[in-house]
Amino acid sequence: MEVLLLALVGIAGIAFLTTYFGQRWKSKKDGDEESETSEEPLEECCGAHEICETDLINKMSEEILYYEDQELDAYRNFEENDFNDDQIDEFREVLYSLKQNEMEGWLRSLELRKIELPSIIKSEVVFMLVNE
């Protein structure tokens, strides 16, 4: 019985050590690969990936682009629940006139102009982005 118990403890110890050193070796190997790939800066985004497009928008200058929505500047510094139905319809009109690839740029433009979307429009934007 004692021999069986010692054998089980020995096997568990070997399994633990194998796992421990395997993980350390793997993380060290992955760290080397990451440093090699991160040294190469990307020259230009191909535009075929959603991540690249998002990064390009985030890297945009602080230049404000208008999407025929200058009238929305009147809602600067409003809270998301401060809008009445007519004001919400103004946002909705602009939102549904946008092309699919203009959505993120428009949201960035509103952010730079300190215009917060009405809560109902936020829900619609999320729904539209998820359905893309």
Side-chain angles (χ1 to χ4, degrees):
M1 183 70 168
E2 291 177 15
V3 174
L4 183 61
L5 186 59
L6 285 174
L8 287 175
V9 170
I11 291 172
I14 290 171
F16 172 77
L17 291 173
T18 304
T19 304
Y20 175 75
F21 287 115
Q23 291 293 330
R24 286 190 63 190
W25 179 73
K26 183 179 177 185
S27 66
K28 187 180 274 189
K29 182 181 175 186
D30 289 344
D32 291 343
E33 289 177 5
E34 287 178 15
S35 64
E36 289 175 9
T37 57
S38 64
E39 290 174 4
E40 300 174 17
L42 294 174
E43 291 294 322
E44 191 173 305
C45 177
C46 64
H49 302 92
E50 196 170 321
I51 295 170
C52 295
E53 293 171 5
T54 303
D55 287 344
L56 286 175
I57 289 171
N58 290 337
K59 291 178 183 177
M60 276 187 347
S61 67
E62 297 296 313
E63 178 185 348
I64 296 174
L65 299 175
Y66 284 91
Y67 293 82
E68 297 183 22
D69 63 347
Q70 292 84 347
E71 68 276 2
L72 299 180
D73 283 340
Y75 306 121
R76 182 173 297 169
N77 298 322
F78 272 49
E79 295 294 323
E80 67 181 59
N81 296 318
D82 291 346
F83 297 96
N84 63 36
D85 290 340
D86 292 333
Q87 294 166 334
I88 291 172
D89 286 339
E90 287 183 51
F91 280 92
R92 192 172 280 129
E93 184 180 321
V94 175
L95 173 65
Y96 288 105
S97 70
L98 294 172
K99 296 177 185 168
Q100 204 168 23
N101 62 346
E102 294 177 329
M103 178 88 58
E104 291 175 0
W106 181 62
L107 294 172
R108 176 71 177 150
S109 172
L110 292 175
E111 180 183 337
L112 290 172
R113 292 156 50 194
K114 299 191 183 349
I115 300 172
E116 189 157 345
L117 287 173
S119 57
I120 188 74
I121 298 296
K122 282 183 183 179
S123 302
E124 292 176 23
V125 167
V126 169
F127 180 75
M128 290 174 76
L129 289 174
V130 167
N131 284 332
E132 282 183 10

